[in-house]
Amino acid sequence: MANKQFTLDELKKFNGENGNSAYVAIDGTVYDVTDVKPWQGGKHHGNVAGNDLSEAIMKSPHKHSVLAKLNEVGKLA
């Protein structure tokens, strides 16, 4: 599944709401944050799943260090 291509419109469906999975894109890679506790409900510190958060992660205290713990589900087209 890691070779799936997501458009931004497709990614927006994965917002973690109403039983949907929660995916975020960082630097062109789409990650599954559905089962990550701080992302419950598709939101984490003002960030919303279903979006490209490449700029937002640069402002976070952990930066890219958390990405290794996440499952890659595809690429942003």
Side-chain angles (χ1 to χ4, degrees), residues 20-58:
N20 291 323
S21 295
Y23 293 174
V24 298
I26 308 283
D27 299 333
T29 300
V30 178
Y31 297 93
D32 186 346
V33 294
T34 306
D35 296 326
V36 178
K37 274 207 183 303
W39 275 97
Q40 281 185 330
K43 294 182 175 66
H44 176 57
H45 293 295
N47 297 304
V48 180
N51 288 289
D52 183 346
L53 300 178
S54 299
E55 287 186 32
I57 200 167
M58 295 309 294

Side-chain angles (χ1 to χ4, degrees), residues 1 4 9 13-14 19 26-30 34 37 39 41 45-46 56 58 60 62 65 67 69 71-74 77:
M1 174 110 145
K4 173 153 176 44
D9 279 344
K13 297 172 190 163
F14 295 94
I26 308 283
D27 299 333
T29 300
V30 178
T34 306
K37 274 207 183 303
W39 275 97
H45 293 295
M58 295 309 294
S60 70
H62 52 66
S65 65
L67 299 181
K69 300 175 194 165
N71 290 327
E72 289 185 26
V73 291

